[in-house]
Amino acid sequence: MNALAATNRNFRQAARILGLDSKLEKSLLIPFREIKVECTIPKDDGTLVSYIGFRVQHDNSRGPMKGGIRYHPEVVDLLLPSGFAGAKMNTHSYSEDVDPDEVNALAQLMTWKTAVADIPYGGAKGGIGCTPKELSISELERLTRVFTQKIHDLIGVNTDVPAPDMGTNAQTMAWILDEYSKFHGYSPAVVTGKPTDLGGSLGREAATGRGVVYATEALLAEHGKSIKGLTFAIQGFGNVGSWAARLFHEKGGKVVAVSDITGAVRNPNGIDIQALLQHKDKTGKLADFDGADAMDSNDLLSHECDVLVPCALGGVLNRENAGDVRAKFIIEAANHPTDPDADEILSKMGVVILPDIYANAGGVTVSYFEWVQNIQGFMWDEDKVNNELKRYMTKAFHNIKGMCQLQDCNLRMGAFTLGVNRVARATLLRGWEA
């Protein structure tokens, strides 16, 4: 089952629990708008090349739409624009990596995620089909500016607020801000995840990983436990995984296993995360770290631990390996790491799963704080950002638990039911059939 099918299945189950009208249910699934544009730029060697840019805007009933812009390869038909007769045009194609169903699923998931976190946004997702590592900085800037020119009337402070995603970063957001401002005046709140010199929020880099830790604390407290003394296995050591590992370690947790695309390491007595981060920065890999033993990356999900934290790819827990999981708790820091078959198997095993729709909402929550700061023209210190993030994550967990008790369901369905209910109520109050 792909990401879109899994998201739709969870939505429909939540809609049945809530007793939503069938017409309203269908309306909530259909994206508000899907945008596809051609972006043609001159490369550094003088050739012209076209890329396809896209944006899925899912829902705006609770506020502006919000979601990442990713630069990743996909198959595109490169169209020769009119007016370029005789120009030298690069017509190579790209490998299929961006799945339209995945983009739709992530846009929809952001709608429910922002509703669960109770921040006034809807969901969106988009990007450009390209391979960033094959483009120079100047080519990336030209591509970003052309894309912004094509969609500037469809995004905005009160319409759709993009953020970084795969293959994009704070610099990409700075280019979008600058190009958008040429048409609409200086508008720092049009994107989030910006450099702090241009209105980016302190604490944004660590926000998703920190949110994962706050969510874990809330879940463990419900079970009479705390991070201190528990063991953690973390799959993925990028931004989210490394920050989560660092903060679990600082709070007295023992990170006993870590993996990423370069390999995996383990230490039953706990890994010195700061030393591992320094080793990774120096060598670019986890392998050959003196403070832990090498292990097979495929064994991480079944490694003995109290808390398993998948921070990398979707679908890593499935029917084939779910029965091997030895953790008591799973914190879904990645999007869609557990497929429906694994969900059912793990639930029967008594494993408590904290769903992605809530667990990784720290990033978009601090993006909301950045948006608020930009609109007010008043920036917060980092302690205020972190304190507000903890308050939002803790409150959201208690709201999810309340829905679980009301509807007699697990945390995943409690979160989906909470999010769908908030969006449905906003849609009805605004008069969706008018």
Side-chain angles (χ1 to χ4, degrees):
M1 184 177 292
N2 67 19
L4 182 61
T7 302
N8 286 350
R9 170 175 156 164
N10 288 326
F11 166 78
R12 290 195 171 95
Q13 190 173 343
R16 285 196 297 272
I17 290 172
L18 293 167
L20 293 188
D21 175 85
S22 59
K23 291 182 180 179
L24 176 59
E25 179 181 339
K26 183 178 180 180
S27 174
L28 292 178
L29 270 183
I30 298 172
F32 171 76
R33 178 161 51 201
E34 296 185 22
I35 304 152
K36 196 172 187 179
V37 296
E38 182 190 21
C39 302
T40 301
I41 63 165
K43 297 197 75 177
D44 293 341
D45 63 5
T47 61
L48 295 173
V49 60
S50 287
Y51 300 91
I52 299 299
F54 56 93
R55 186 76 173 164
V56 176
Q57 298 173 328
H58 179 254
D59 187 273
N60 63 356
S61 62
R62 299 182 64 254
M65 292 163 284
K66 188 86 184 76
I69 287 181
R70 58 176 53 181
Y71 288 1
H72 223 246
E74 71 171 339
V75 171
V76 294
D77 293 321
L78 298 173
L79 307 173
L80 182 65
S82 61
F84 285 147
K88 189 178 180 185
M89 174 65 74
N90 187 335
T91 57
H92 64 279
S93 61
Y94 297 84
S95 61
E96 180 74 37
D97 271 330
V98 174
D99 181 353
D101 280 354
E102 182 187 9
V103 175
N104 273 280
L106 292 172
Q108 184 192 143
L109 194 67
M110 187 63 84
T111 295
W112 316 133
K113 183 180 296 184
T114 52
V116 168
D118 203 16
I119 54 180
Y121 286 142
K125 184 68 74 170
I128 301 174
C130 67
T131 306
K133 66 183 179 181
E134 295 180 359
L135 299 175
S136 68
I137 297 297
S138 60
E139 289 168 344
L140 284 169
E141 179 176 354
R142 288 195 289 274
L143 182 57
T144 300
R145 290 184 181 277
V146 170
F147 183 48
T148 306
Q149 291 165 14
K150 295 294 182 78
I151 68 169
H152 73 89
D153 279 332
L154 303 173
I155 63 174
V157 175
N158 298 305
T159 307
D160 180 359
V161 183
D165 202 315
M166 290 183 190
T168 59
N169 54 27
Q171 179 60 73
T172 316
M173 298 303 106
W175 291 328
I176 294 174
L177 162 61
D178 183 70
E179 196 64 29
Y180 179 87
S181 295
K182 292 176 183 177
F183 296 93
H184 302 277
Y186 185 59
S187 308
V190 71
V191 290
T192 60
K194 302 180 293 294
T196 53
D197 289 338
L198 290 175
S201 178
L202 297 173
R204 178 62 187 87
E205 181 188 354
T208 306
R210 192 177 295 276
V212 166
V213 173
Y214 290 153
T216 304
E217 285 183 317
L219 174 65
L220 293 176
E222 185 75 18
H223 291 264
K225 300 177 183 293
S226 67
I227 288 173
K228 187 174 183 179
L230 295 187
T231 56
F232 296 80
I234 299 177
Q235 184 196 45
F237 205 60
N239 175 270
V240 179
S242 62
W243 273 106
R246 184 182 324 196
L247 294 168
F248 284 135
H249 181 70
E250 288 178 4
K251 290 176 177 287
K254 289 204 299 184
V255 179
V256 295
V258 173
S259 73
D260 68 3
I261 58 172
T262 69
V265 293
R266 64 183 174 190
N267 185 336
N269 297 315
I271 298 168
D272 183 339
I273 297 301
Q274 196 59 45
L276 181 60
L277 285 165
Q278 291 172 357
H279 171 79
K280 176 81 181 291
D281 287 342
K282 184 178 179 180
T283 67
K285 59 184 180 179
L286 296 180
D288 302 322
F289 174 58
D290 291 337
D293 298 323
M295 64 178 288
D296 189 329
S297 297
N298 296 323
D299 294 336
L300 185 127
L301 296 171
S302 59
H303 196 276
E304 186 173 352
C305 62
D306 298 310
V307 184
L308 174 63
V309 190
C311 302
L313 302 173
V316 295
L317 289 166
N318 49 54
R319 184 189 309 171
E320 284 71 33
N321 62 11
D324 298 327
V325 170
R326 290 191 275 176
K328 304 174 186 69
F329 301 94
I330 295 175
I331 313 297
E332 294 187 332
N335 286 318
H336 301 293
T338 312
D339 76 14
D341 289 334
D343 217 0
E344 188 174 339
I345 293 168
L346 291 164
S347 293
K348 288 179 180 176
M349 291 166 56
V351 178
V352 178
I353 302 174
L354 198 61
D356 55 353
I357 193 177
Y358 161 67
N360 64 25
V364 70
T365 301
V366 175
S367 282
Y368 164 59
F369 298 162
E370 180 177 331
W371 182 71
V372 168
Q373 292 169 73
N374 294 158
I375 290 171
Q376 292 180 330
F378 183 83
M379 305 307 290
W380 302 353
D381 62 37
E382 191 165 355
D383 284 344
K384 179 174 174 63
V385 172
N386 293 340
N387 289 337
E388 286 295 315
L389 175 58
K390 184 170 186 176
R391 186 171 71 85
Y392 268 76
M393 295 300 292
T394 304
K395 180 182 176 183
F397 178 79
H398 292 306
N399 288 335
I400 293 168
K401 282 297 295 184
M403 185 62 79
C404 291
Q405 292 163 2
L406 180 66
Q407 303 293 350
D408 189 25
C409 59
N410 63 19
L411 288 168
R412 186 181 309 282
M413 201 42 54
F416 263 91
T417 305
L418 176 65
V420 171
N421 187 49
R422 282 177 170 161
V423 176
R425 288 175 61 185
T427 302
L428 290 170
L429 285 168
R430 292 184 64 166
W432 72 287
E433 287 186 310

